[in-house]
Structures are given as structure tokens and as C-alpha cells.
């Protein structure tokens, strides 16, 4: 067991390496020259001097130098060998040049380990500070929603499975299906329009996380204010995932209930409650735990839409804006950090997995 | 007591038929498919057939032929203004509009005769958009999940069955793929190839969904491979591949089917989310694009209700199908 | 289970109904009789202004978001001259008089007041003005677009060491230099933005030389880093600096919560307070970021937001009619200088032919567009001049919507459907090319997208296959500047001053990422633009501009679409609101709220 844990944790590092490479590659794949972008960021009225070398050209070169964009991308660069007039194939014409550690990827990754993600292209703020402000918000919303989803889904799923084919089961099935099919961005907008104080009800704030007079509130007041602002977004986060979860719970539970050992337990005369909660539950939790690892990244992705609709300053909206404005340092940082968070989540899920089902063996099969 | 001589397939089908909602779902899916295939004939701005000055024409068929390069338009019909021709006799399709046709006199009309499901701000008919949108919805679901399943099941089965290095490698790959924020990835890729349109979106959704399938498959295989019948199969000398695909897979497939149903649903939802954020070609009308317009126009309830209902029905139907299949395939439920 | 579930729902219901703090309905009558009131006796209250997105900074030279300008321009920072809201003339503000201009129009001398000071009490002198220009000229600061703008202003210096007299020397004649220098330079306090006084050791010539030096490839980053101008720029460009603006204006910066709001408080220490008693009456300006207009409108109805400018017509005409809305809010619509257009890439083989561009314009149904998309609140545009300007050519009527004429023009230009597939084609460079292309525009702009879709339909009817593509704003701009498009749908917001078409239509601006993205090249037009820049007589400029518009009308490098109105919604409690013809259309410094109905207190 300990062996397994250690091995598991060690394996995180190669994964991390690949993640950084992919984050880097992804942001570099986007079209457009970042130097050009920075030179004319936001301005649609660039003036060209027209004669000879333009001011703009000089500007762009300087920016390239400043931001290391003139360095090679990676450790290795492939170049066509133009001296080879009779190439045997496309690949044989390629030469490789070793760039050593003086390449963009390496410089960036080395800094990442110092938690220095560079500065934003857009406003020069250290990226880490930007993320530091945002991550807690997205994390808080995601974790609360996940917790809520589980709290609602598990009892719901169990009850449905145990009381299969009853009216309750049918109603909850239909309701859950409905919840699951409604697009979250639509629901979010509808919620704001109907409950956010527009033409209909004024029960919740229409946007943001803080009221106008947030500063002047007491600590308790601030807490309540935050919660009040979070209710609508959390609702949107949660309804989809709890629907999915409860279905999974139901399916898993149904399978377990039909197992022989459950019949045995019943035959032994144990009460239904004991049968369900002591014996069936543990095994039916397995697929649910697997899903946890899958839900976290979904939360991070889903945060883009929800944070945009509710104007919440979290990581999702930061990432989307960074991609939109081609703010490479921020894009890479967000990719990497959300990947790392997910990695931690998966690790936990796997460890929990082994706790819940010791029957599962790892490594090669035993004969 | 099962009857002798019935194949596995017969047993499954019989079991499936007992589940009414699932059976109904199959019919609905079939209808949606037919709608998608015949969309051109049901909603089009040209007549199905007509007689002009003594000659009989078949404009809708002609257009299909021309699009496929098999023939060319008769000069008198080239870019004709179909609505204003003097016909001797004419048969229009059920819905006489294309999703892109603009009826300037009927802007933001609520449902009424002439536009049964209403129109949008520039006069595009919602019903036509919904009908042609079935193609996109189905394609999104099937293509993306198809890719995901093919890759995911294959890799998951191998990893789960053989364990060891294969398992570890696959797990690392799955981990990496799952840690990448898929939505950002999709957004970035769509930004890189703005010409990719909806097809690129489908492929990307598929390529980012397979890890989920693989994980489930692997989990099932892990549970099952230690079961007796697997050991028996090996003792009998069956090759690994045969064991996997003939014996273990049918039992492991249940959660995969459930996942596919949900996967198709989520793919459709993802596509509408992307339309909401403004991706995909602007002139392609999908359920998601109609829905996103409805956002800013809450009084135009028909633009939200109909595509929303369509998404809901399609998604539900796939879910029911998945569940029905699961129930029917599960040997323990008989 | 059932019990727990019910319990959860129950407690949430209780929580919701007690936990909310919605708007109170206590003050419902905002129509107070103000005839006996003086604005200056009614100071107080806040204005909460809606912003669509967070600005990237509040440094007037490095920040590029348009939203930022509304926050700091004239609120935090001031310039020597200011544009009078009513007369639109530029009048002295920090300067004492109009500048003295030399006969050759290359030298501008400004005298400034001696009683001006920044919000921290430090007196403002000519040294601050000179420093501000140096910050722009420093090649390492993130002010590239502005640097281009000031390229012909070569230096500034004190006249005979007089701290309150500054002379600007220009290398080219340009009739707008007095405005660019007088009203364009936001004056930064040197002691805050350059605390170690680095820039005073650089002359303007030094800065020019520096600009030329660093393109030499032998220069490494290390050599730059040792240059103190570079170190200054690092400080100047930094996040901290752009987040903590300090100026001489009537409002001082209080806080900025990212993606949420920027707060400005009225300064208690404003140098011009005695002369501006009827201005700057509110205690606080809050600029609240809400990224979707419909959410913002909901916020306005909930009385959490006081002002939304430029509401899309879609929302304005359909969602601002309820009784609840009318009880607490007012709305105003007004024209401001702008025009939308379709830019045809003149270097594209299809659109290089003038007849084709004209045909495209004949296929543009402007009346429909105004009616459908703008709800009638826009008017067709015929050129680059705002219709309220004296230079506007009233004799030009837009080419009418006429598909028959379009077909004839296209046939004339050599297009016909030779293969009977419904799409016109023509042999270009030896290849039979179908008439098919793409409109591109930016994501999120519904109107532009719909204009594209309407055009696509009309084009289809005459055998042109077109499509619409949207992309993110920055990618879009990038492509536009690199001329990677067939046809783009975009708009310009123009100044309310005398037009200068050089930047957008002169052929020299078609290279090097200039603004002439359609590559319009016309000899006579070029000449007019050049002469216009040096012409100081307004009447003569008018003649030039009339001819210019005729050329544009004939050549159709753009299909000019419409000049649209801005739709403003605001809370009813504000008085003193006047509408002006330039962006944003209002001046918050004039707004006030009678004490009896003030909503927020300090």
C-alpha cells in the first residue's frame, strides 16, 4: 500500500512535465504574433509613418527582445537542410539544432518552479498575483458546488435505487433528466433576469460577488453578503452535476443490490437499513469516487461561462479573457495551475478508491 | 428459465422491449434521424415540384444534384426568386423556408400561421432552423462520442485487462488528458482554426472525451478480470484478445453505454455553449445558436422554448436509451 | 433521505427570503422641483457607472482600454486645454490663454497658471508637462500608438527657464497640433511617476537616438537594462503604477477591485474648486464592471447601477418599457460622431475592381438595416464625415439598394455563371474562380454579424456565395492590420472636430499596420489628405473635404453603412444632465442629486 502511494506520487512529475509542455505549446499555437499584439494592443488606430522603417517595426522588435520572444521555442529546433538536393524523404532533410537551455520553454518552466509565471502582456501585473486573487474564488465555488452535489445526489440515488419503480423513483428520474438537459448558460441568464431584480423578482443580486456597500458591513454581514451573491452561481454549477451523480449512484446501487451477497445479508435477517448502508453503500460508492476526478476539471471549465454571466472574478473568466486577448503568460499559467489542481484531485480520488475497495489489485495480474 | 436456442442478442432485445420508455426513445431517435435526413425536403425555400409555362420542374432535387456536381441549373431557374414566380401549379415543402431565409416582413414574430414557431430578429424562421438543426445536433453527438468511444474503450480495455506497464502508461495518458482544461483547449483550438467551424468542434469534443470512457472501461475491466469466468477462459487457452472482446467486454459495456448516452447529451450541450460564446460559423443555424440569441431577447420566448425543448428531448431520449440498453444487457437483471 | 431533502429545501427557502437585501421602495418620487435649488448646495451621493469590461490600467499613456479613458480622463488627469461642452471650442484650463503659434506653424508656446497643484498638494509646473511628453517619447514605455501620434512633435522646453511657459517644436505642419498638444497631453506629476528624476537627464534628441539605436542587432537585452531610460520604463509600465493614478483633477483614485469596480472619490483639495462650484458635485464615482449588457440592465432596474451608456438597440427598445423601469429611470437617445462600414479589401482580386465594389453597395439594403437592426434610430452614412459637421456633403445620396443595377455592374466587370451552379464565376489569372468570399467581424457584436447575414442573403439572390465569420477582437484586429480579410464589417468612432482622413485613407497608411486596412490608393485623395493636414483655414478645409467625400462615393473603398445613435439609460434622481455630441455624450462632472433624494452617503 505504501509502495503504491509512493510510486503514485513520484509518477506525478513526468505528468507535470508533459503538462507544462502542452500548456506552452497550446498558447504558442494560437495565431498572431504576440509582439505585434502587444505593440498595438487595443488600439485600432495605428499610425504608420510610411517612410522607410516604421516606428511600429522598431517597437515590435524591442518587445520581442524584452519578452524573450526572439529566442527559440524549445530545446530542439528542426531546420530543413537546404544543401541536400536529393532528399530521400521529408524527414531525412531535417536537421536538428540543439538550443541548450536558452529557449523560451525552458526559461518559462524554470521560472514556474519559483512560482514566477512572468508578467501579463496586458497590464504587466505579475501573473501569479492575478491568479492568487482568482483561484480562491473559483475553488470555493467549485468545492461548495461539488459538496452540495454529492450531498444531494447520494441520498437521492440510493433512495431511487432502493425504491425502484415507485412513483417517487419515476418522478425523480424525470426531474433529474430535466435538470441534466438544460444548458447552464441559459439557466444562469434566466435566473438573473427573473430573480436578479429586473422586471420580476428582486431576490438575488444581478451580478458580482460584493454589494456596493460591502466595506461598511460587519464581518457577519460580509459573510452573509458573499453567500447571498454565491447562491445563484452555485445553483447553476450544482444542478447539472448532481443530476449526473444521482443517476450514477442509482445505477451503481442497483447493480450492487442484485448481487448475491446482498441477498445473503437479507437472508441473514439483517434490517434493510443495515443491508443498504453497511454493505451495499461502500461498493456502490466506487464509480462515484471515480467521477470526482472527472468533475473537478469540468468545474474549472464550466466556470468560464458561469463566471462570465455572473461577472465573478474567478479563474474561468481570467482564462477566457487571456485567450481572447492573447495574453500568453496568463494562459500558460492558468492551464498549468488548473492542471495541477486537477492532478491533485485525481490523486486523492485514486487513493480514496483504494481505501474503499481493497479488492482491487494493482500492477500485473496474479496468476 | 431462459429458453434453449435463443441467442444472446435475442435475449437482450426481448429484455429491452419490456422497458417502455426506452422503446419509445428508440422511436423518437429514429424520427429525429429521419428528420435530419429529409430536412431538405421538409424545409426549403424552393418548391418540391412545380409547373411553369407548361414545363415541370423539381427544384429541390435539382439543387441537390447541382450541389453534388451532377448537373447544372437550367438557365431560366438560375437564382430564381422562388416566392414571386407565376406558377401554374406548385407543391411547396411543409416549411417553405431555409434556416437562412430572411422574411423581412416577419421579424420577431411569435408563433403564428406562416411561421409556426416564430422568427428571429432578421426574419429567420425558427421551425426551419430547428429542423435543419437536427443534423448538427445528431452529428455533434454521434461524431464526438463515436470518436471518444472507439479510442476510450480500446485503450481502457487493454489497460484494465493487462495491467502492469500498459495500465500505468494509459493511466498517465488519461491523467494528462483529464488535467488539461478541455474547454480552454477547445476555445484555443477553435481560435487557431477559425475556418474549422462546427466539424472541428465535434472532433475536438470527441478527442477530449475519450478519457472518461477509458476510465470507466478500465474500472470495469479491473473488477471483472479477477472473476471466475475470466480465469476459466484463460485456463481454456483463449487468447487475450478473444477473452477481452468476446467475454469481458459485453459485461463491461454497460457503464460505457450509459456514459455514451450522457456523453452525447453533454456534447450537444457543449456545442450550444460554444455557440453562446460566439464560436462556430455565424451562418450555421444550430439549436445552440438560436438559444444564444434568445438570451438577449427574453420576451421572444419562442426562441428559447423550442430549441431548449428540442435539446431536452434529444438528450433525455439518449439517456433513456442508454439506461434501457444497460438494463437489457445486464445478465443479472433477468 | 426524503426528510433530509425536504429539510434542505425548506431551510434554503427561509434563508433566501431573509437573506436578501434588495432595493427599497421607500423613495419613489424622483421628480423633485429643482427650480429653487443650486447645484452647489446639493453635493453628495454617488454615481455608479456601468463599464462593459475592466480596463487594463489607469495610466493614460500605457493603458489601452477605451473604458479606462472615461475613468481617468478629466476626472483624475487634466490637460492644458479642454474642449468646451457647448461650443466645442478648445479653451484654456490649466493654460492661461490660447497658445502662441509661430508664423511657420511649427512652434507652439503655452503659458500655464501658477496656482495649479496635484492632489497631494505639489504645485504643477512646466516641468511636469515636459516630463509627460518625455514619457511618451521614451522608446521603452508601452505607449507605441501614442508615440506614433506625437511623431511630429519633436520637443518641448521651458522658455528661458520660466517654469510656467513651455514651447513645443514640431517637425511637420499639422492643423491639429494645438489640440494634440494642448488637450491631448494628460499632465502627470513628475515626482510620482519619475521619483528618481531619470528622464530629466535625457533630452528629446537623446530619446530619438535611443529609438534608432536599439534596432541594431548587436544590442543585447543586458545593454538595454543598463540604460536608465529602460529602468524608468520598467517602472512606468508596471502594474503598480497603472493601478495608482495620481493627477491634478477633481477626483482622486480610491480603489480598484479587479473585474468588479474602480472607485474615485471627490478631491477635497482641488486647485480649481472655487471656480468650479457647480461642477464635481457627487462624492464618489464608481465604475462597475458587468460583462453582459442584459445583466447590467437588470442591475439598473434593481437600482444597483445608475448609468449605462450605449445600450444595444435590441435591449433599449424592448426591455426599457416596463412600469418598474419608468418609475426609476430615464432614457435618452442621441447621435454622436460614428459610422459603421463594410471594408472591401482593395487588393483582393475580386474587389480591386471599382464596379464590383459599387455593385456590392447596391446590394446593401440600408433602409432595411436601419429599420431592423437599429429600430429606425440611425441614418445612412455616405462618407467619413459626421453629418452634423459643416464639411458634410449634403449633396451625396447613398447608392440605392438595387439588385438589377448590381447585376449589370457585375456582368460589366466580367462575372457570369458559366457552369450553371448558381454562383457567378470569372477567369482570374487563368483560373475559373467562383465569386465567393467571407465577411469577417468581431465576436459579440450582434449588429455587425446580422448585417453580414443580411448581405449574405441578398448576395445569394444574385449569385454571389458569401459567408460570415466572427473571431475574437484581438485576432480580428490583427488580421485587419495584416490585411488578411476579404471584407470586414467594422465601425469608426470619429472625433467631433474637423475631419482628417489621412490616417484612414492615405495610401502610405496601407503598409506597416497602418489604419488604411483596405489598401485604398488614390492619387487625388492622397493629395487632398496631405494638403488638408497643413491647411489652417477652416473654409478651405471644407472645400477639400467635400471633394474628398465625392471621391470616396465614386470609389467605394468602404460601403458606408450608418451613423447610429447612442442609447443612454440612467437613474431618475440625477439632475443637471446635458447631452453632448461627443463620446460618451455626457459629462459626469455636471451631474448632481438634490439632497432630499440622495441615495448613498459617504
Amino acid at each position: 500500500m505504501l509502495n503504491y502511494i509512493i510510486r503514485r506520487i513520484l509518477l506525478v512529475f513526468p505528468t507535470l512535465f508533459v503538462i507544462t509542455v502542452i500548456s506552452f505549446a497550446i498558447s504558442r499555437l494560437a495565431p498572431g504574433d504576440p509582439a505585434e499584439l502587444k505593440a498595438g494592443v487595443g488600439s485600432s488606430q495605428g499610425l504608420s509613418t510610411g517612410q522607410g522603417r516604421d516606428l511600429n517595426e522598431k517597437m515590435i522588435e524591442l518587445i520581442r527582445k524584452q519578452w524573450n520572444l526572439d529566442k527559440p521555442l524549445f530545446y530542439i529546433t528542426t531546420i530543413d537542410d537546404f544543401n541536400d538536393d536529393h532528399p530521400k524523404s521529408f524527414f531525412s532533410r531535417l536537421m536538428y539544432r540543439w538550443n541548450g537551455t536558452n529557449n523560451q520553454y525552458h526559461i518559462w518552466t524554470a521560472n514556474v518552479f519559483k512560482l514566477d509565471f512572468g508578467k501579463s502582456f496586458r497590464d504587466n501585473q505579475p501573473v501569479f498575483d492575478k491568479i492568487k486573487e482568482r483561484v480562491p474564488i473559483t475553488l470555493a465555488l467549485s468545492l461548495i458546488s461539488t459538496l452540495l452535489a454529492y450531498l444531494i445526489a447520494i441520498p437521492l440515488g440510493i433512495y431511487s435505487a432502493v425504491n425502484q419503480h415507485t412513483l417517487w423513483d419515476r418522478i425523480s428520474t424525470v426531474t433529474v433528466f430535466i435538470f441534466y438537459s438544460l444548458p447552464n448558460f441559459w439557466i444562469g441568464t434566466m435566473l438573473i433576469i427573473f430573480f436578479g431584480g429586473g422586471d420580476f423578482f428582486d431576490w438575488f443580486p444581478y451580478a458580482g460577488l460584493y454589494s456596493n456597500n460591502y466595506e461598511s458591513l460587519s464581518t457577519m454581514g460580509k459573510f452573509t453578503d458573499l453567500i447571498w451573491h454565491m447562491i445563484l452561481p452555485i445553483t447553476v454549477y450544482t444542478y447539472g452535476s448532481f443530476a449526473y451523480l444521482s443517476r450514477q449512484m442509482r445505477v451503481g446501487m442497483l447493480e450492487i443490490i442484485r448481487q448475491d451477497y446482498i441477498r445473503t445479508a437479507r437472508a441473514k435477517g439483517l434490517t434493510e437499513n443495515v443491508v443498504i448502508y453497511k454493505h451495499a453503500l461502500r461498493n456502490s460508492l466506487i464509480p462515484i469516487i471515480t467521477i470526482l476526478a472527472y468533475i473537478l476539471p469540468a468545474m474549472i471549465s464550466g466556470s468560464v461561462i458561469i463566471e462570465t454571466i455572473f461577472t465573478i472574478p474567478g479563474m474561468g473568466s481570467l482564462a477566457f479573457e487571456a485567450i481572447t486577448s492573447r495574453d500568453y503568460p496568463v494562459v500558460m499559467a492558468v492551464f498549468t495551475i488548473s492542471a495541477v489542481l486537477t492532478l491533485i484531485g485525481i490523486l486523492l480520488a485514486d487513493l480514496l478508491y483504494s481505501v474503499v475497495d481493497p479488492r482491487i489489485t494493482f500492477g500485473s495480474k496474479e496468476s | 428459465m431462459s429458453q434453449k436456442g435463443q441467442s444472446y442478442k435475442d435475449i437482450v432485445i426481448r429484455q429491452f422491449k419490456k422497458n417502455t420508455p426506452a422503446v419509445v426513445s428508440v422511436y423518437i431517435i429514429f424520427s429525429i434521424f429521419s428528420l435530419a435526413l429529409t430536412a431538405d425536403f421538409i424545409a426549403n425555400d424552393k418548391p418540391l415540384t412545380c409547373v411553369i409555362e407548361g414545363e415541370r420542374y423539381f427544384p429541390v432535387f435539382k439543387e441537390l444534384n447541382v450541389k453534388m456536381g451532377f448537373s447544372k441549373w437550367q438557365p431560366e431557374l438560375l437564382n430564381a426568386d422562388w416566392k414571386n414566380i407565376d406558377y401554374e401549379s406548385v407543391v411547396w415543402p411543409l416549411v417553405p423556408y431555409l434556416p437562412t431565409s430572411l422574411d423581412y416582413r416577419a421579424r420577431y414574430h411569435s408563433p403564428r400561421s406562416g411561421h409556426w414557431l416564430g422568427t428571429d430578429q432578421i426574419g429567420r424562421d425558427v421551425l426551419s432552423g430547428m429542423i435543419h438543426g437536427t443534423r448538427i445536433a445528431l452529428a455533434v453527438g454521434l461524431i464526438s462520442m463515436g470518436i471518444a468511444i472507439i479510442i476510450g474503450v480500446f485503450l481502457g480495455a487493454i489497460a484494465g485487462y493487462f495491467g502492469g506497464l500498459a495500465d500505468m502508461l494509459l493511466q498517465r495518458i488519461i491523467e494528462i488528458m483529464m488535467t488539461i482544461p478541455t474547454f480552454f483547449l477547445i476555445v484555443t483550438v477553435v481560435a487557431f482554426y477559425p475556418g474549422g467551424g462546427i466539424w472541428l468542434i465535434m472532433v475536438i469534443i470527441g478527442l477530449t472525451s475519450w478519457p472518461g470512457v477509458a476510465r470507466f472501461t478500465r474500472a470495469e475491466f479491473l473488477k471483472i478480470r479477477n472473476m471466475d469466468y475470466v480465469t476459466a477462459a484463460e485456463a481454456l487457452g483463449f487468447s487475450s484478445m478473444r477473452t477481452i472482446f468476446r467475454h469481458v467486454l459485453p459485461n463491461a459495456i454497460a457503464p460505457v453505454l450509459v456514459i455514451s448516452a450522457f456523453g452525447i447529451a453533454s456534447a450537444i450541450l457543449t456545442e450550444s455553449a460554444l455557440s453562446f460564446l460566439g464560436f462556430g460559423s455565424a451562418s450555421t443555424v444550430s439549436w445552440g445558436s438560436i438559444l444564444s440569441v434568445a438570451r438577449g431577447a427574453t420576451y421572444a420566448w419562442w426562441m428559447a422554448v423550442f430549441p431548449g425543448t428540442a435539446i431536452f428531448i434529444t438528450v433525455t431520449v439518449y439517456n433513456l436509451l442508454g439506461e434501457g440498453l444497460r438494463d437489457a444487457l445486464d445478465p443479472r437483471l433477468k | 433521505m426524503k426528510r433530509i431533502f425536504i429539510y434542505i429545501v425548506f431551510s434554503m427557502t427561509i434563508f433566501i427570503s431573509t437573506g436578501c437585501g434588495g432595493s427599497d421602495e421607500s423613495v419613489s418620487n424622483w421628480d423633485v422641483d429643482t427650480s429653487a435649488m443650486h447645484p452647489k448646495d446639493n453635493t453628495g451621493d454617488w454615481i455608479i457607472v456601468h463599464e462593459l469590461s475592466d480596463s487594463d490600467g489607469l495610466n493614460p499613456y500605457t493603458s489601452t482600454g477605451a473604458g479606462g479613458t472615461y475613468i481617468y480622463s478629466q476626472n483624475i488627469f487634466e490637460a492644458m486645454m479642454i474642449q468646451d461642452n457647448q461650443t466645442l471650442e478648445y479653451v484654456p484650463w490649466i493654460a492661461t490663454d490660447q497658445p502662441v503659434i509661430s508664423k511657420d506653424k511649427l512652434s507652439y508656446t503655452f503659458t500655464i497658471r501658477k496656482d495649479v497643484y496635484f492632489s497631494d498638494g505639489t504645485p504643477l509646473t512646466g516641468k511636469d508637462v515636459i516630463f509627460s511628453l518625455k514619457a511618451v517619447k521614451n522608446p521603452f514605455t508601452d505607449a507605441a500608438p501614442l508615440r506614433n501620434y506625437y511623431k511630429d512633435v519633436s520637443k518641448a522646453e521651458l522658455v528661458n527657464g520660466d517654469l510656467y511657459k513651455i514651447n513645443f517644436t514640431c517637425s511637420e505642419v499639422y492643423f491639429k497640433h494645438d489640440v494634440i498638444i494642448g488637450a491631448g497631453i494628460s499632465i502627470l506629476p513628475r515626482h510620482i511617476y519619475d521619483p528618481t528624476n531619470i528622464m530629466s537627464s535625457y533630452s528629446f534628441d537623446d530619446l530619438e537616438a535611443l529609438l534608432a539605436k536599439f534596432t541594431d542587432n548587436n544590442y543585447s537585452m543586458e545593454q538595454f537594462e543598463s540604460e536608465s531610460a529602460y529602468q524608468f520604463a520598467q517602472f512606468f509600465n508596471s502594474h503598480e503604477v497603472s493601478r495608482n493614478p495620481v493627477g491634478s483633477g477633481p477626483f482622486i483614485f480610491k480603489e480598484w477591485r479587479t473585474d468588479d469596480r474602480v472607485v474615485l472619490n471627490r478631491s477635497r483639495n482641488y486647485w480649481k474648486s472655487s471656480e468650479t462650484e457647480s461642477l464635481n458635485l457627487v462624492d464618489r464615482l464608481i465604475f462597475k464592471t458587468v460583462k453582459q449588457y442584459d445583466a447590467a440592465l437588470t442591475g439598473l432596474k434593481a437600482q444597483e447601477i445608475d448609468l449605462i451608456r450605449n445600450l444595444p438597440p435590441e435591449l433599449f427598445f424592448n426591455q426599457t418599457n416596463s412600469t418598474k423601469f419608468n418609475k426609476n429611470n430615464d432614457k435618452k437617445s442621441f447621435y454622436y460622431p460614428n459610422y459603421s462600414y463594410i471594408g472591401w479589401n482593395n487588393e483582393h482580386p475580386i474587389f480591386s475592381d471599382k464596379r464590383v465594389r459599387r455593385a456590392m453597395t447596391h446590394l446593401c439594403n440600408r433602409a432595411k438595416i436601419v429599420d431592423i437592426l437599429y429600430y429606425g434610430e440611425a441614418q445612412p452614412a455616405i462618407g467619413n464625415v459626421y453629418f452634423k459637421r459643416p464639411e458634410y456633403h449634403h449633396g451625396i445620396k447613398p447608392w440605392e439598394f438595387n439588385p438589377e443595377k448590381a447585376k449589370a455592374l457585375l456582368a460589366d466587370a466580367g462575372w457570369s455563371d458559366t457552369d450553371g451552379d448558381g454562383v457567378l464565376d470569372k477567369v482570374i489569372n487563368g483560373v475559373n474562380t467562383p465569386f465567393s468570399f467571407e465577411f469577417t467581424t468581431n465576436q459579440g457584436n450582434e449588429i455587425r454579424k446580422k448585417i453580414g447575414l443580411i448581405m449574405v442573403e441578398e448576395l445569394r439572390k444574385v449569385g454571389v456565395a458569401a459567408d460570415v465569420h466572427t473571431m475574437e477582437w484581438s485576432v480580428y484586429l490583427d488580421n485587419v492590420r495584416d490585411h488578411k480579410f476579404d471584407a470586414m464589417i467594422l465601425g469608426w468612432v470619429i472625433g467631433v472636430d474637423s475631419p482628417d482622413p489621412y490616417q484612414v485613407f492615405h495610401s502610405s497608411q496601407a503598409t506597416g499596420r497602418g489604419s488604411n486596412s483596405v489598401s485604398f490608393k488614390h492619387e487625388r485623395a492622397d493629395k487632398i489628405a496631405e494638403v488638408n493636414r497643413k491647411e489652417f483655414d477652416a473654409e478651405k478645409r471644407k472645400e477639400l473635404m467635400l471633394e474628398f467625400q465625392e471621391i470616396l462615393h465614386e470609389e467605394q473603398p468602404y460601403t458606408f453603412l450608418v451613423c447610429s445613435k447612442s442609447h443612454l439609460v440612467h437613474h431618475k434622481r440625477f439632475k443637471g444632465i446635458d447631452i453632448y455630441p461627443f463620446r460618451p455624450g455626457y459629462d459626469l462632472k455636471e451631474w448632481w442629486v438634490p439632497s432630499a433624494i440622495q441615495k448613498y452617503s459617504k
Side-chain angles (χ1 to χ4, degrees), chain C residues 447-493:
Chain C
I447 291 188
R448 286 184 197 151
K449 185 171 96 172
K450 289 186 175 136
I451 291 178
L453 291 173
I454 292 179
M455 285 296 288
V456 164
E457 256 309 278
E458 293 300 333
L459 288 171
R460 195 180 65 96
K461 294 182 191 165
V462 301
V464 176
D467 196 8
V468 180
H469 231 103
T470 60
M471 52 184 80
E472 316 148 295
W473 180 242
S474 51
V475 186
Y476 182 47
L477 280 188
D478 221 34
N479 285 349
V480 162
R481 283 200 213 104
D482 289 336
H483 303 195
K484 288 194 204 131
F485 62 92
D486 301 331
M488 54 158 179
I489 308 176
L490 205 44
W492 285 117
V493 175

Side-chain angles (χ1 to χ4, degrees), chain C residues 29 377 452:
Chain C
N29 185 15
E377 297 288 301

Side-chain angles (χ1 to χ4, degrees), chain C residues 55-106:
Chain C
S55 174
D56 57 328
L58 292 177
N59 181 331
Y61 298 139
T62 62
S63 309
T64 51
T69 324
Y70 299 133
I71 299 179
Y72 56 70
S73 187
Q74 288 169 29
N75 289 329
I76 303 179
F77 297 105
E78 298 171 313
M80 291 187 286
M81 311 285 284
I82 200 175
Q83 190 171 31
D84 184 290
N85 290 337
Q86 308 281 1
T87 66
L88 300 184
E89 298 290 323
Y90 284 90
V91 297
W93 184 256
I94 291 184
T96 54
D97 278 300
Q98 295 284 338
V100 173
I101 310 178
S102 66
K103 274 234 166 27
D104 61 1
K105 311 283 191 221
L106 291 177

Side-chain angles (χ1 to χ4, degrees), chain A residues 341-352:
Chain A
L341 288 175
T342 313
L343 206 54
I344 295 177
I346 293 179
L347 194 63
L348 284 175
D350 272 350
L351 293 177
L352 269 178

Side-chain angles (χ1 to χ4, degrees), chain C residues 29-39 42 572-573 575 592-597:
Chain C
N29 185 15
W30 306 105
D31 295 317
V32 170
D33 180 12
T34 56
S35 48
M37 293 189 196
H38 289 288
N42 288 283
K572 261 191 176 156
R573 70 184 192 275
K575 313 294 169 199
W592 57 279
V593 184
S595 314
I597 54 173

Side-chain angles (χ1 to χ4, degrees), chain C residues 47-52 66-67 69-71 73-75 83-86 88 279 285-288 293 305-311 332-337 566-570 574-591:
Chain C
I47 310 181
I48 304 180
V49 185
H50 166 249
E51 291 293 328
L52 199 57
T69 324
Y70 299 133
I71 299 179
S73 187
Q74 288 169 29
N75 289 329
Q83 190 171 31
D84 184 290
N85 290 337
Q86 308 281 1
L88 300 184
L279 295 182
L285 295 174
I286 300 185
F287 297 87
K288 182 125 179 88
Y293 273 117
I305 290 184
D306 291 326
L307 161 66
I308 304 178
R309 60 170 183 275
N310 234 348
L311 201 59
K332 296 181 171 43
S333 303
F334 53 93
Y335 278 110
Y336 68 106
S566 171
H567 301 291
L568 187 73
V569 287
H570 65 87
F574 295 101
K575 313 294 169 199
I577 300 178
D578 263 324
I579 298 297
Y580 302 114
F582 47 80
R583 245 196 338 186
Y586 51 80
D587 187 350
L588 290 179
K589 301 204 286 294
E590 298 172 352
W591 293 25

